[in-house]
Amino acid sequence: MRIRHKTIANLSKLPQEVVDGISILLRGGTAFDPATTDGVSIRRSLPHGHVAAALGTARRIGLERILHRSRSRKRDLALAAIAARIIAPDSKLATARRLSPETADSSLGSMLRLGQVSGNEMLDMLDWLRQRQPWIEKSLANRHLGNGTLILYDVSSSYVEGRCCPLAAFGHNRDGKKGKRQITFGLLCATDGCPVAVEVFSGNTADPSTVALQIAKLRSRFGITRLALVGDRGMITTARIREDLEPAGLDWISALRNADIRRLLRPSGGGDAPLDPDALVADAVAEIASPDFPGERLMVCLNPRLRQERKRKREDLLRATETELQGIAETAARNRPGPSNRDRINRSLGARGNRRKVLKHFDITVGEGSMTFRRNTAGIRAEAALDGIYVVRTNLPADAIGAEEAVEAYKNLSRVERGFRHMKTDLRVRPIHVRTGEHVRGHVFLCMLSHYVEWHMRRRLAPLLFQDDDPEGAKAQRSSPVGKAEVSERAKRKADTKRTGDGYPVHSFRTLLDDLSTLTLNSILLPGTTDITFETATKPMPVQAKALELLGVDATAPVFTSPSEGAAELRM
C-alpha cells in the first residue's frame, strides 16, 4: 500500500494562539480561549501562599508524625489548627468557620481536605491533643535536648475571659489587664530558643513553686539525667536550689537578688568583703566566691549603660516624689492642726507619696500641723553603689562552663521571653475563651506547637526579615557577654536600605505572610463540564518565590479533582 500525503491547509500564517489550540486538539486535549468565559471559569480564589508556607514547614520538620504516626481526622484538624494560629489566630469556633468550605477565607481546609468543620470537633481535637502531649513533648525533647545540655525555663501568664475556668485566678498580672483572672504557664526551651514543652498552672501560682514539676518532667518523662536548668533569679531561688534542685542532682544557672548582692558587700571571716564595686571593670566578668554561698561560683558583671540609666531614672522618680510631698506638706499647713490632720497626712503619704516606690529614700517628719521631708543621701548612695551590677550564680564547675559562657547562658533567657512575646502577640494565646481546665491546657499547648513551627519558619526566612541572619557577624561585634548587644553589618544594611543583598524588599514576619497570602489557589472549571475542576496556584512574585525557596516549599503544584474521585488527588 502506497502512502500519499495531501496538504489540506497551511497553518503557518495563522496566529500563534490558534496554532497552539490546534496542537492541543491533535493531542486529545480541549482547547479554549482564556479571554472568554465560555471555555473556562474560575469558581473561587483563596489566599494560599501563607498556608503553603506554614503547612509546608510543619510537614518538612516532621510535625505530622510527631502528632501521630497514623493519619486521622483529629490529626488533620490539629495540623490545621496549628497552621491557622500562624496565619490567622482566632477562637476555636472562628477557626472552624475559616476551615469549612462555605466560609473558608484561605486554602487551609481544602489543602487538608477537611470538609465541614464544627466547633465541637475543634474542642474534641484539643482533648486529643492534650492526651498526646506527653508523647509529643518527649519526641521534641529527644530531637532538641540531650544529657549534659542547658535548658532555658521561664514563666509568664495570660488573662482568661469569663469566670468558669477552674485554673483562672488573680495573681501577678503581667498583661496589664486589671480585674481579669489569669492562668500561669511555664515554657521549656533549648539553648537556641526552640520551644520543647509547656506546663499550665493556676493563675495564683508563684514562679518558684513551678520548678519542682518541671524537674519531674525532665527526669521522668524525658529521661534526661544530666542537665543544667537556666532560670531567672525570681524562679531559681536559694530555697528552690536547696529543696528541689540539689536533692534531684540537677545543675543550674541563675542570678542573685539585690538583697543577696548586698550581703557580698559585708566582710566575712575577718577578711575583706567578697565584692568591691569600685574594683569592677566595665563590660567584664569577674568571678568571686563567698562563704555565704558555699559550692557556688559567682560571676559579677558591671554594665555601665545600665548604671547610667538607673541613675537617671532614680533622679526622675525622686524629683516627682518631691513634688508630691511638697503638695502634701502645703495641704497640711493649710488645715487645722490636730490628730485628724496628722492622720490625713499619713493617709496621703500612703496613697500619693509612695506611688513611685522611692519613699524609702526620704526622711519624713509628720506633726499635727505640718510635715517636713528631706532626701536620705546615705541610703541613696548605698543603692547607687550597686547600679548596673548583677551577679550570675551556678554550681557548674569551671571545666564544664567558663565564667563568660555562664553569663551568656543566663542572658539567653531573653530567647524564652521572645517566645512568650510571639505566643501572646502573633499567635494570640490570650485572651483565653475555652472554659475547662483541660481545654485551657490544650489551647496553650496548641499555641506552643504553633510557636515551634513559627520558630523554624523565622530561622529559614531570616534573610528576608528585619532580623539578624548573620549571628557569627553579630557575635564578632561584641567583645564580652556583658557588653551591648550588637547586630551584624549585614543586618545594619538591611535596616538602612530596606533591601536584602539580593535586592528583595525586607519584611517583618507578619507582613511577609500577608505578602504570601496574595498568592492564591484558584478552583477552575474545565470547559465542557459541569463538575470537574482543577486547582492551580498563581505564579509567585519574586519575593514570594524567594520565601518559598527558603522554606523548601512548592506552592504551585496543581491538584485535579472530580466528584467521582472523592478524596483522591492526581498531581501533575
Side-chain angles (χ1 to χ4, degrees):
M1 182 176 179
R2 185 178 179 183
I3 300 176
R4 294 179 180 274
H5 296 276
K6 182 179 180 180
T7 300
I8 299 177
N10 191 339
L11 307 180
S12 59
K13 295 184 179 180
L14 293 176
Q16 185 62 40
E17 57 270 18
V18 177
V19 176
D20 294 340
I22 295 175
S23 177
I24 293 174
L25 290 172
L26 293 176
R27 292 199 300 267
T30 302
F32 59 91
D33 183 3
T36 67
T37 57
D38 297 333
V40 65
S41 60
I42 300 178
R43 283 196 166 182
R44 194 174 192 180
S45 294
L46 292 172
H48 173 63
H50 55 341
V51 172
L55 200 58
T57 300
R59 285 171 166 166
R60 180 181 56 79
I61 62 180
L63 185 60
E64 279 182 315
R65 185 171 177 81
I66 291 177
L67 292 176
H68 202 282
R69 294 180 178 179
S70 303
R71 183 178 181 181
S72 64
R73 171 77 172 176
K74 285 187 172 60
R75 192 187 79 168
D76 288 345
L77 284 174
L79 191 63
I82 291 169
R85 296 218 74 81
I86 297 175
I87 63 176
D90 216 324
S91 66
K92 301 301 176 291
L93 179 59
T95 301
R97 290 180 58 83
R98 292 176 185 272
L99 295 174
S100 299
E102 293 182 346
T103 53
D105 60 357
S106 73
S107 64
L108 182 55
S110 63
M111 290 296 291
L112 293 171
R113 299 291 183 258
L114 294 177
Q116 189 69 27
V117 180
S118 67
N120 288 335
E121 277 189 301
M122 299 299 291
L123 294 179
D124 292 340
M125 178 272 297
L126 281 184
D127 294 331
W128 176 85
L129 196 63
R130 172 66 179 148
Q131 294 173 357
R132 296 283 303 165
Q133 183 173 354
W135 168 263
I136 295 172
E137 290 183 341
K138 184 176 181 179
S139 299
L140 297 179
N142 291 337
R143 177 180 293 188
H144 298 282
L145 302 180
N147 281 327
T149 187
L150 298 176
I151 299 180
L152 308 177
Y153 177 62
D154 205 352
V155 167
S156 187
S157 61
S158 288
Y159 66 93
V160 180
E161 293 292 349
R163 295 177 293 176
C164 298
C165 178
L167 295 174
F170 291 107
H172 176 45
N173 194 312
R174 297 174 176 87
D175 293 337
K177 285 283 186 178
K178 293 183 178 180
K180 292 284 187 181
R181 291 176 171 85
Q182 64 179 23
I183 56 102
T184 301
F185 59 101
L187 186 64
L188 282 171
C189 295
T191 53
D192 54 8
C194 179
V196 173
V198 70
E199 194 71 38
V200 178
F201 307 93
S202 176
N204 56 2
T205 304
D207 294 1
S209 62
T210 66
V211 176
L213 187 60
Q214 299 306 319
I215 294 174
K217 176 185 289 189
L218 293 170
R219 300 299 289 275
S220 61
R221 185 185 300 177
F222 298 162
I224 301 176
T225 58
R226 185 66 180 174
L227 57 88
L229 190 65
V230 184
D232 63 28
R233 60 185 182 179
M235 181 87 54
I236 302 181
T237 61
T238 301
R240 296 282 69 77
I241 292 172
R242 303 294 179 256
E243 298 175 10
D244 298 325
L245 296 174
E246 287 183 350
L250 295 184
D251 297 320
W252 46 268
I253 299 176
S254 184
L256 291 181
R257 296 186 174 186
N258 288 336
D260 293 328
I261 297 178
R262 293 191 188 98
R263 293 168 61 186
L264 300 177
L265 299 176
R266 298 195 299 264
S268 59
D272 296 332
L275 176 60
D276 182 7
D278 296 331
L280 296 178
V281 179
D283 292 336
V285 180
E287 184 170 345
I288 64 173
S290 172
D292 292 329
F293 304 96
E296 297 185 20
R297 297 166 58 207
L298 305 177
M299 278 65 67
V300 185
C301 309
L302 172 60
N303 187 330
R305 292 161 300 279
L306 181 59
R307 166 170 284 188
Q308 189 66 26
E309 175 60 20
R310 286 185 175 175
K311 179 181 178 181
R312 181 201 62 79
K313 186 174 181 180
R314 182 189 300 107
E315 183 61 28
D316 290 343
L317 294 175
L318 289 174
R319 289 180 179 176
T321 302
E322 283 179 329
T323 302
E324 290 281 359
L325 294 178
Q326 184 63 36
I328 296 174
E330 292 174 356
T331 302
R334 290 195 298 267
N335 294 332
R336 178 182 297 177
S340 60
N341 188 33
R342 183 182 58 224
D343 294 341
R344 190 181 299 111
I345 296 172
N346 289 327
R347 287 196 300 268
S348 298
L349 288 175
R352 296 167 51 192
N354 202 30
R355 184 180 302 171
R356 295 167 181 84
K357 311 301 180 185
V358 292
L359 199 61
K360 59 184 178 180
H361 293 315
F362 289 91
D363 293 327
I364 302 175
T365 302
V366 179
E368 294 186 353
S370 63
M371 184 195 79
T372 60
F373 63 91
R374 63 183 178 85
R375 291 190 183 187
N376 184 345
T377 56
I380 296 173
R381 192 181 305 111
E383 183 180 271
L386 296 180
D387 283 350
I389 297 176
Y390 58 94
V391 181
V392 176
R393 63 194 299 198
T394 181
N395 69 332
L396 287 167
D399 57 355
I401 189 171
E404 291 193 350
E405 287 77 9
V407 175
E408 187 70 37
Y410 181 77
K411 299 187 76 171
N412 282 340
L413 283 173
S414 62
R415 296 172 178 173
V416 188
E417 294 291 343
R418 192 178 302 119
F420 283 134
R421 186 165 60 251
H422 291 325
M423 290 179 65
K424 290 183 177 182
T425 56
D426 295 343
L427 305 176
R428 286 179 61 183
V429 70
R430 60 185 184 186
I432 299 173
H433 295 284
V434 289
R435 297 182 178 182
T436 68
E438 288 302 297
H439 285 163
V440 169
R441 289 188 169 97
H443 166 74
V444 176
F445 182 53
L446 175 70
C447 292
M448 191 220 78
L449 292 176
S450 298
H451 175 40
Y452 179 75
V453 177
E454 183 180 311
W455 182 85
H456 283 85
M457 293 179 67
R458 286 177 179 272
R459 294 192 78 183
R460 289 272 187 141
L461 295 172
L464 292 177
L465 303 179
F466 283 108
Q467 71 182 57
D468 202 339
D469 58 324
D470 184 16
E472 293 300 323
K475 190 175 181 180
Q477 301 283 333
R478 193 178 186 185
S479 59
S480 168
V482 188
K484 182 181 179 180
E486 299 287 351
V487 297
S488 65
E489 294 297 329
R490 187 189 306 171
K492 292 178 181 178
R493 286 194 297 269
K494 284 198 302 184
D496 292 340
T497 64
K498 306 298 185 292
R499 292 276 172 178
T500 67
D502 300 332
Y504 298 106
V506 185
H507 282 275
S508 68
F509 182 76
R510 185 54 52 186
T511 59
L512 183 57
L513 286 184
D514 293 340
D515 193 328
L516 286 171
S517 68
T518 61
L519 193 157
T520 60
L521 185 67
N522 305 305
S523 179
I524 301 177
L525 179 67
L526 291 177
T529 66
T530 59
D531 56 359
I532 300 178
T533 62
F534 71 93
E535 295 176 342
T536 183
T538 54
K539 183 178 180 180
M541 297 296 288
V543 68
Q544 296 172 335
K546 181 63 176 178
L548 296 173
E549 176 188 348
L550 291 173
L551 292 173
V553 173
D554 181 13
T556 60
V559 181
F560 286 75
T561 62
S562 67
S564 61
E565 292 173 337
E569 299 180 1
L570 176 62
R571 295 193 175 272
M572 304 190 59

